[in-house]
Amino acid sequence: MAPLGNIIRLSPLQLHELPNNVKLGGSIKQSSGGRVYNPSTTTNDDPSADRTSDALDQDGRPKLAAFIKEVLDQAKEFIDDTISSTFREGSLKTSPPATAQVRLLSWGITGAQLHKIPWLKSRIPRQPPADSLKSGEAWFARRSRHANQSQEGTADFSEFDYGLRIDHSEHEREYTPDIFDSFKVLEWDLEHDGEQLVIGEYSQIRMTIYEMCHKLPFPLSPRVFPELVVTARTGPLSFIIVQIPVNINSLQEAFYSSGRNLKEGDTELKRKRPVMGAYTSIERCRIVEDQSIEWTVATASDAKGSVPMWTQKLGIPGVLVKDVGLLIKWISQRQRPLTDSK
């Protein structure tokens, strides 16, 4: 098994651990020096050299391109290696109207395993989070294979790409009944001289912060999950989506985390005081050898509040499975009429 990464964890990133952004108190600096960032030009062959020196700016923040590359590299390694080598396979489920079967998987990461992560010696250093080192992380995953066809019960690759990668958080709100708001807090500018940033194999990159708002059954309070969202194409036939919890309580642009929603919310639900939860996920779609679409999702979460973790663990697999049918239904009802009219 490949070593666990230090960024895509359940413990929230802090603002000073993010690349520069004008809304974080400074000007954006183009760390790549142009449209294309070549990772090989920043490699130091001296093993005794400080691996982080070329990844941080003068203020100690991670450089934009180096941070994005590290996030996406860690996500790919987790999907390609960690799931196959460590996750325990569960049962096959169905998720109508999707015709594909859904394989469930799970893995509990202990606090001792998290303690072994090179938090400060990784390319993008982080302070070790005391909370998760004690409690560990409960990860669940699913994998499904879908016919690459724009027809009932499935979708073609362009439809998956539109529904999942493009405007990921907004579309997730549209096809998930329990999400009542997806508030965009900020976005990083990834263009240089009118051209989109390319980082090695990663293109069409987007990085944003959203507050994802979920309603829960009475008497539970709404949950808000502040997320750093990184999406990218990883080739002509694959894309990846990463969501990482982030602490934005002190950011005035935040709506729910800052408490502005209590007075400024435009519905009664949006004006309720939420419980702030934590959610992290890695999601990949790719066309595989038989030309079907493989959709893999791995996630860990904590809804906080009065909901005990053992109860959450019981419910997460069912939610993961249900999401497959929700997306396929949304594509059938919303995307195909738009496509057919062009």
Side-chain angles (χ1 to χ4, degrees), residues 37-176:
Y37 171 76
N38 184 356
S40 64
T41 63
T42 61
T43 300
N44 194 321
D45 294 329
D46 181 359
S48 64
D50 181 2
R51 294 180 66 239
T52 70
S53 61
D54 60 349
L56 304 179
D57 65 18
Q58 61 185 7
D59 299 319
R61 289 187 180 275
K63 295 179 181 178
L64 182 60
F67 178 85
I68 292 173
K69 183 179 186 301
E70 186 67 14
V71 167
L72 296 175
D73 283 351
Q74 289 188 19
K76 279 194 64 182
E77 191 169 70
F78 194 92
I79 290 284
D80 288 333
D81 180 84
T82 304
I83 291 180
S84 60
S85 62
T86 61
F87 275 60
R88 179 175 58 87
E89 273 200 0
S91 57
L92 279 171
K93 302 290 186 180
T94 58
S95 185
T99 55
Q101 289 189 305
V102 183
R103 172 72 71 183
L104 286 170
L105 307 99
S106 62
W107 181 39
I109 304 178
T110 66
Q113 289 171 311
L114 293 175
H115 187 76
K116 294 179 181 179
I117 294 174
W119 294 92
L120 292 172
K121 295 184 179 180
S122 295
R123 180 167 172 76
I124 305 295
R126 290 185 66 183
Q127 286 294 329
D131 52 351
S132 61
L133 293 184
K134 294 180 181 178
S135 59
E137 296 174 351
W139 280 80
F140 295 89
R142 61 168 163 82
R143 179 172 287 134
S144 51
R145 291 279 185 95
H146 304 262
N148 186 11
Q149 300 290 333
S150 180
Q151 63 186 32
E152 201 68 27
T154 187
D156 64 24
F157 184 76
S158 66
E159 291 172 326
F160 272 101
D161 188 44
Y162 176 81
L164 293 174
R165 181 183 64 85
I166 298 173
D167 292 334
H168 171 79
S169 300
E170 301 291 349
H171 289 168
E172 186 176 44
R173 172 183 53 79
E174 291 182 13
Y175 68 75
T176 308

Side-chain angles (χ1 to χ4, degrees), residues 4-16:
L4 294 173
N6 68 330
I7 298 180
I8 310 172
R9 304 262 56 95
L10 193 53
S11 182
L13 288 165
Q14 305 302 310
L15 292 180
H16 68 271

Side-chain angles (χ1 to χ4, degrees), residues 178-222:
D178 292 340
I179 297 180
F180 65 88
D181 197 11
S182 52
F183 185 85
K184 182 179 172 182
V185 178
L186 60 86
E187 180 166 3
W188 276 260
D189 182 3
L190 302 183
E191 286 192 0
H192 182 75
D193 293 336
E195 297 185 347
Q196 191 73 11
L197 178 66
V198 174
I199 305 173
E201 64 182 301
Y202 307 119
S203 63
Q204 299 182 43
I205 306 164
R206 190 180 181 196
M207 188 162 81
T208 57
I209 291 179
Y210 270 85
E211 292 174 305
M212 301 302 293
C213 309
H214 294 247
K215 55 186 177 184
L216 298 184
F218 179 83
L220 298 174
S221 299

